Amino acid sequence: DETTYNFFEKSDLKYIRIIKLKDIENNELLKVKINRTRTEYLWTITSFCIDYVLNNCINTDRITYVDADIFFFKNPKCIFDEFERSKKDVLITKHSYSPELDLSNTSGQFCVQFIIFKKGNGQIVLNDWKKSCLNWCYAKFEDGKFGDQMYLDEWPIKFKSYTHVLQRESFAMGPWNVLRYPFSDAIFFHFHGLKIINQKLLFLGLYNIPRATIDNLYKPYIKELKNNIKNLNAQNIYPSDINPLQFTKI
């Protein structure tokens, strides 16, 4: 949105390039936009954003899409190294659900959280994803589809020669697999479901999160949230009812 764009424009951050939504939106997207919720439309345009960067950024032959609620605890170089050794063009990651939380049948085996695309063959997969999302992308399970996510289940079969699935599944952690892997394995953690309710309440989601995971993953992340919200408050950007110094302790 304009608020976000203006913030980054004024920040003058060295490694940030800002792209306006209107530069990505085409007539096809604008046509479906009116019939989709904000969330559904964000899911719809994910593949289009990736495609825009690949086609419009000079000297870019590989792009990594990362969800906004992911936080890196270790250098992801080992993930990129595994991908390069695979000689493939696309990398996707599994949910790797804990058995008691398995939603593969309705949410998908793979998670749109960290995906790598290379120019060339990777764009064959990307274009197929774009077409599918344009046709159907809703926040419900229907006929083997859910949002933009369950389309990924087809890739290791439909695009077998192009797609690599991350082998070290515990590198990609989220609340759905914290009971399966030790927190120390995480290269990154997907803080799905975490919400700032008000100045005194932070909601961690509906999952059962072990205390060790809260202490070692959630607390450092929340500390960074506090710092960032404090900086935004100082610039009169963040809603005034959120005081980062008054988050309820966990």
Side-chain angles (χ1 to χ4, degrees), residues 69-74 170-175 177-179 181-191 194 202 204 209-225 250:
D69 52 354
I70 276 180
F71 189 84
F72 288 87
F73 289 90
K74 298 176 186 176
S170 61
F171 283 173
M173 288 188 64
N177 61 28
V178 291
L179 301 179
Y181 304 116
F183 70 84
S184 56
D185 280 7
I187 297 294
F188 65 79
F189 193 90
H190 189 163
F191 288 91
L194 187 147
L202 189 69
L204 300 188
I209 310 296
R211 189 73 216 184
T213 303
I214 291 177
D215 290 340
N216 291 278
L217 299 186
Y218 276 77
K219 283 188 174 180
Y221 179 66
I222 292 168
K223 182 179 179 180
E224 290 298 322
L225 281 181
I250 59 172

Side-chain angles (χ1 to χ4, degrees), residues 36-200:
R36 298 186 185 180
T37 66
R38 175 180 170 83
T39 296
E40 290 168 346
Y41 188 63
L42 289 174
W43 291 347
T44 301
I45 64 173
T46 297
S47 55
F48 287 84
C49 294
I50 296 169
D51 187 60
Y52 180 90
V53 175
L54 278 175
N55 287 320
N56 292 278
C57 293
I58 299 173
N59 297 327
T60 299
D61 58 9
R62 185 182 78 184
I63 182 172
T64 303
Y65 165 83
V66 181
D67 264 358
D69 52 354
I70 276 180
F71 189 84
F72 288 87
F73 289 90
K74 298 176 186 176
N75 190 325
K77 183 179 183 299
C78 54
I79 297 178
F80 291 108
D81 288 345
E82 179 184 316
F83 177 56
E84 288 302 320
R85 289 193 300 269
S86 76
K87 306 296 183 182
K88 299 293 181 68
D89 304 279
V90 177
L91 177 138
I92 54 178
T93 60
K94 289 183 177 181
H95 277 106
S96 302
Y97 295 104
S98 299
E100 61 270 42
L101 300 173
D102 193 351
L103 296 175
S104 299
N105 291 332
T106 54
S107 294
Q109 182 181 358
F110 301 96
C111 185
V112 178
Q113 58 182 354
F114 182 103
I115 309 179
I116 304 175
F117 289 95
K118 285 184 178 179
K119 271 187 177 178
N121 292 333
Q123 288 174 287
I124 295 174
V125 184
L126 182 58
N127 288 333
D128 185 79
W129 194 25
K130 287 171 55 183
K131 182 179 179 180
S132 296
C133 291
L134 194 64
N135 181 58
W136 193 99
C137 189
Y138 298 98
K140 61 181 179 179
F141 174 74
E142 182 179 291
D143 297 329
K145 302 186 292 290
F146 177 79
D148 61 341
Q149 189 156 270
M150 290 191 74
Y151 295 121
L152 275 61
D153 283 17
E154 304 173 353
W155 296 0
I157 302 169
K158 188 175 182 179
F159 302 107
K160 182 178 180 180
S161 58
Y162 304 148
T163 304
H164 176 70
V165 178
L166 182 66
Q167 298 300 295
R168 289 291 300 274
E169 297 178 14
S170 61
F171 283 173
M173 288 188 64
W176 42 76
N177 61 28
V178 291
L179 301 179
R180 183 175 181 182
Y181 304 116
F183 70 84
S184 56
D185 280 7
I187 297 294
F188 65 79
F189 193 90
H190 189 163
F191 288 91
H192 172 78
L194 187 147
K195 291 180 174 63
I196 299 170
I197 305 302
N198 56 45
Q199 64 180 11
K200 294 183 179 181

